[in-house]
Amino acid sequence: MSQNAFVYTELQISAPFDQVPWQNINDTIKTQPGFLNKTWLSGLGNNSAGGIYAFDTIENAKKFVTSYFPAEARNFGVAQTTRVFDALATSEASIDMNSVHYGARIDVKPAAFVYTEVQLHVLPFDNGPWRTFNPVLKQQPGLLSKTWLSGLHTGTVGGFYAFDSIENAKRFALDYFPTETRALDAAFYTRIFDATMTEAASRDMASPFYR
């Protein structure tokens, strides 16, 4: 079944990942309409919990973020962040970046994930500068894979990256990425996640990073 939407979630929680009841949550998420896979996220330094998901349709992705996920956040008693992205719009750009979400395989297990979102309105996505940025991104130390993200309705531009080490992920998020957004004259949002903490939970959810 092909993916047509990505979802990003993050709970405003601070808990070591081994204290997150991911087994029970996984069992419930697997029953959600149109769910295909999930990569769990554990915030570096703040122990937030979240994920990047693939869904078969935008409609099912929207149903997940408006019905299921708010209830999950309520059960934890915390605020939450969700985003829905058009996966079809970014397929060409992502394939060019060795995206595992579009079938690429990586030989190294990721040690860190980075999520970015830039406060721009770029619709259609293909009119954006991804062809200019991809060659530069490919030169970033330790980058294993990137999936481009295009915000549903908003046209925000972002990405989900895998790195071979936390050090390289931090170098990218703290040193390189601000220069990219300065060139775009735009505010931005970044998050770094420790991938080693969530491998087992992600494997259980068919994460494409662990094929």
Side-chain angles (χ1 to χ4, degrees):
M1 188 178 297
S2 62
Q3 64 201 1
N4 285 281
F6 297 119
V7 168
Y8 169 81
T9 66
E10 191 173 358
L11 291 173
Q12 193 177 12
I13 194 172
S14 181
F17 193 74
D18 60 6
Q19 295 180 18
V20 175
W22 60 264
Q23 296 95 336
N24 294 336
I25 294 172
N26 280 8
D27 289 343
T28 303
I29 291 176
K30 288 173 184 176
T31 68
Q32 300 306 304
F35 169 77
L36 299 177
N37 60 67
K38 173 183 179 178
T39 300
W40 274 91
L41 303 174
S42 180
L44 183 69
N46 69 347
N47 289 323
S48 62
I52 188 85
Y53 311 69
F55 281 86
D56 63 346
T57 66
I58 287 175
E59 290 72 22
N60 279 329
K62 290 169 66 176
K63 186 180 301 180
F64 179 81
V65 302
T66 57
S67 298
Y68 168 77
F69 198 77
E72 181 179 302
R74 191 179 307 115
N75 288 338
F76 279 98
V78 299
Q80 50 107 68
T81 296
T82 56
R83 296 285 192 276
V84 179
F85 300 97
D86 182 344
L88 285 181
T90 57
S91 59
E92 183 181 357
S94 297
I95 289 169
D96 186 56
M97 289 300 294
N98 200 42
S99 170
V100 298
H101 286 99
Y102 296 88
R105 294 179 181 270
I106 54 178
D107 296 327
V108 178
K109 287 195 297 186
F113 298 118
V114 172
Y115 171 86
T116 66
E117 191 173 355
V118 182
Q119 197 175 20
L120 290 175
H121 176 78
V122 180
L123 287 177
F125 174 82
D126 202 52
N127 287 352
W130 67 265
R131 292 177 180 85
T132 299
F133 284 116
N134 275 11
V136 180
L137 291 170
K138 290 174 183 177
Q139 301 304 312
Q140 298 307 304
L143 179 63
L144 303 174
S145 173
K146 174 183 180 178
T147 299
W148 278 91
L149 301 172
S150 178
L152 184 67
H153 305 313
T154 64
T156 54
V157 179
F160 188 72
Y161 308 73
F163 283 87
D164 63 353
S165 70
I166 288 175
E167 291 74 18
N168 279 329
K170 291 176 69 174
R171 185 179 297 114
F172 174 82
L174 301 180
D175 296 334
Y176 167 74
F177 197 73
T179 68
E180 182 179 297
T181 55
R182 187 182 307 121
L184 295 169
D185 195 29
F188 64 95
Y189 180 95
T190 56
R191 289 291 187 269
I192 303 173
F193 302 96
D194 184 344
T196 64
M197 302 296 296
T198 56
E199 179 180 348
S202 296
R203 285 184 179 276
D204 186 57
M205 295 297 273
S207 168
F209 289 98
Y210 303 102
R211 288 176 176 151

